Amino acid sequence: MEFRHLGHSGLMVSEISYGNWITHGSQVEEDAAFSCVRAALDAGITTFDTADVYAGTRAEDVLGRALEGQRREGLEIFTKVYWPTGPGRNDRGLSRKHIMESINGSLRRLRTDYVDLYQAHRYDYHTPLEETMEAFADIVHSGKAHYIGVSEWKASQIREAHALARDLRIPLVSNQPQYSMLWRVIESEVIPTSAELGVGQIVWSPMAQGVLSGKYLPGQPPPAGSRATDEKSGKSFIAEWLTDDVLTRVQQLRPLADQAGLSMAQLAIAWVLQNRNVSSAIIGASRPEQVHDNVKAAGVKLDADLLKAIDEIVEPVTERDPARTESPAERP
């Protein structure tokens, strides 16, 4: 495993991090979830990402139990706050009330006294940003989180939050956006702004919901048991990639992966890691074998000719519109 600084901070994270958005507490049984976490640890992954909303808070609980007994100082545990975690009007958003109550719930479920990174899962248009950042500052100053991050924020929002964080003397060091060969909306605005401010990207879905693994074929139904057939595993988020045009171009990447001595999944993960502003790429898994395959992308260097060839294949189906950086209608 290779390691990188998270933005311009001193915190080191594994190039590949393990996330449990649609697996723990939902798609896979607990024994399988524990096996995947053990596989990640065995592969040298030290960075684990979750959120209070995943599987209705169950994902945090599963991850906390899976990591129990590990040396806490040797791990980087990330979680998030924003999406609803209860039926009340204040069980959502980035108000001081919700943030303060959410961090305590996350720490309890994760079985830890602190998280290394606490992230705003989306931007809250209904709460003053000053209120949100002051709550985050109190959490950092109380020792419940070491660093602060955001997820799917626009460049202007990151800049404003970073200025407030600096005034409050807390380290806002990361953004967690979707990023892959097919989804590059952060490249024109978010990445230049983040690089200027010392904010690193922790990217999710580097395989475009599994499409870049090459297992979905044009003109054929999705494989049985795949994400595209499972309502619990984010079926709606993969739908826009399942067109014959996209899938045909993805298959054209296979000879390039073979040429590089990589699996399709490894090529996709290695591709996002070529961006110097990317600190870590999040992988998920329902089986330990997937972890073992994906981690082989760590430390891989793709040459300029290969990167150019990839661009030529996927450019017609690549999304680059910065207006799609975030949308309130997106996941949890």
Side-chain angles (χ1 to χ4, degrees), residues 11-30:
L11 179 66
M12 300 290 288
V13 295
S14 48
E15 275 193 348
I16 296 174
S17 45
Y18 182 87
N20 69 348
W21 164 30
I22 56 175
T23 50
H24 296 186
S26 176
Q27 184 186 17
V28 302
E29 298 297 328
E30 188 164 299

Side-chain angles (χ1 to χ4, degrees), residues 181 184 187 249 253 256 271 304-318 320:
M181 295 177 191
R184 298 166 70 167
E187 288 185 345
R249 291 185 177 277
L253 295 171
L256 300 183
W271 183 89
D305 288 342
L306 179 56
L307 292 172
K308 181 180 179 182
I310 290 171
D311 281 349
E312 289 174 350
I313 290 171
V314 301
E315 183 59 37
V317 294
T318 294
R320 292 180 177 272

